[in-house]
Amino acid sequence: MKKIKHTKWFHFIIRFLRLRFITIKLFELIPLEYKLANGIVYRIKSPESFSIRNEIFKDKVYHLLLSNYSINTFVDLGCNTGYIACLLAEHYGADNIAGLMVDANPEMLDEANWHIQKNKLINCNAIWGIIGPSTSDSSLFYISDFNITSSAKPFNKEYPIPVKLENEIDVPVLKLNELFNDYFPNQKI
């Protein structure tokens, strides 16, 4: 059975009533910030950030990985809000992680940078771009009205929920091996 949030009628109602727009305006007036056990702070600026927050902090989807491996250097491709860096900083300490967060959506890059600055993640960087093979220095990226459904390619009609791509932007294409060499030469990531 489909979850309600993945149904077409649910997304139609959200768009028709302009609930996302209203919610974002409300978050601008009354920001939602949460503090984790060791003082790491994260914020919510959009309704879809609740589902990301639940996956990472409430449902603890990544905690088994954290308990089985020592992760001090990381790369988060499609970092969205930057919550993974917050999770790692909470688990290992802000001074003990070094990371590179990449996203093609400038709004999400702003969020990732906010989390870097707020938590003094001095060894973390957020970079605007898209990863992938290309003969060009840039590629189109499609910004959706819901940031978690923005994509490097447009959605076809068979996609289970209606995705409204508000605009397309030209984004720099980044080479992963070059990023590794520039930021983490000779380090295990």
Side-chain angles (χ1 to χ4, degrees), residues 163-180:
V163 176
K164 180 181 174 192
L165 298 173
E166 293 187 341
N167 59 18
E168 58 185 53
I169 60 173
D170 205 35
V171 178
V173 173
L174 306 172
K175 307 285 189 248
L176 197 54
N177 61 332
E178 291 175 8
L179 291 175
F180 288 170

Side-chain angles (χ1 to χ4, degrees), residues 105-167:
N105 184 337
E107 184 182 329
M108 292 300 94
L109 205 62
D110 289 344
E111 277 302 285
N113 275 315
W114 185 91
H115 288 101
I116 288 171
Q117 293 167 5
K118 181 72 174 182
N119 295 299
K120 297 177 178 62
L121 305 177
I122 58 173
N123 297 316
C124 293
N125 296 284
I127 297 178
W128 182 53
I130 192 166
I131 303 293
S134 178
T135 56
S136 173
D137 290 338
S138 65
S139 179
L140 288 179
F141 186 76
Y142 300 90
I143 304 290
S144 171
D145 52 345
F146 292 94
N147 63 45
I148 58 175
T149 56
S150 295
S151 176
K153 61 183 200 174
F155 293 95
N156 60 31
K157 292 180 182 173
E158 289 79 43
Y159 193 71
I161 59 174
V163 176
K164 180 181 174 192
L165 298 173
E166 293 187 341
N167 59 18

Side-chain angles (χ1 to χ4, degrees), residues 57-77:
F57 300 115
K58 301 286 185 197
D59 299 339
K60 300 183 178 187
V61 170
Y62 301 99
H63 277 65
L64 184 60
L65 179 69
L66 297 178
S67 61
N68 289 333
Y69 299 95
S70 178
I71 301 171
N72 301 100
T73 307
F74 71 96
V75 175
D76 186 358
L77 304 178

